[in-house]
Amino acid sequence: METIDKIKQQISENPILLYMKGSPKFPSCGFSARAVEAVINCQVPFGYVDILTNPDIRAELPKFANWPTFPQLWVEGELIGGCDIVLEMYQKGELQALLKEVAQKHAE
């Protein structure tokens, strides 16, 4: 499977998906740690991909997303943004509302 196809499949199969360095329990960089903490605090199920163990995805996703850095939060197939945007949305209460709505829609 081509890397881009793999990325598209991951995004389509996970309504809430975080591409990050490391895992939610063991993030490998400060930006990933802060982003995953915000997502976890929203108390919704989400998927993640450790780009450190997937160098093909790490290389291709920035081109596909037109976004150069990690982490990347994707919601319903759309790139929301990286660490700064995720934290800003969380502080405003926007992230919680968005993720709860998406999680409820996909739980039905």
Side-chain angles (χ1 to χ4, degrees):
M1 182 183 283
E2 291 288 321
T3 301
I4 294 297
D5 293 330
K6 196 185 329 180
I7 290 168
K8 288 177 180 173
Q9 183 180 1
Q10 291 168 339
I11 291 169
S12 71
E13 289 176 355
N14 293 280
I16 301 169
L17 181 63
L18 186 64
Y19 286 95
M20 62 180 292
K21 293 180 180 176
S23 69
K25 287 193 168 87
F26 299 105
S28 297
C29 85
F31 297 110
S32 289
R34 291 193 291 280
V36 78
E37 182 182 5
V39 174
I40 289 170
N41 286 338
C42 293
Q43 300 176 332
V44 295
F46 68 97
Y48 78 94
V49 175
D50 178 357
I51 59 151
L52 297 178
T53 59
N54 293 279
D56 55 334
I57 292 174
R58 182 179 188 177
E60 292 297 323
L61 185 61
K63 291 179 238 164
F64 174 75
N66 202 19
W67 190 267
T69 58
F70 295 97
Q72 292 185 12
L73 179 63
W74 290 75
V75 177
E76 293 192 307
E78 204 172 302
L79 175 63
I80 300 301
C83 180
D84 292 346
I85 292 169
V86 168
L87 292 180
E88 187 180 315
M89 287 179 68
Y90 181 77
Q91 287 161 353
K92 291 180 179 173
E94 295 169 357
L95 188 67
Q96 298 88 321
L98 173 67
L99 297 189
K100 280 189 170 47
E101 179 187 321
V102 169
Q104 284 174 337
K105 187 168 30 169
H106 289 272
E108 295 165 4

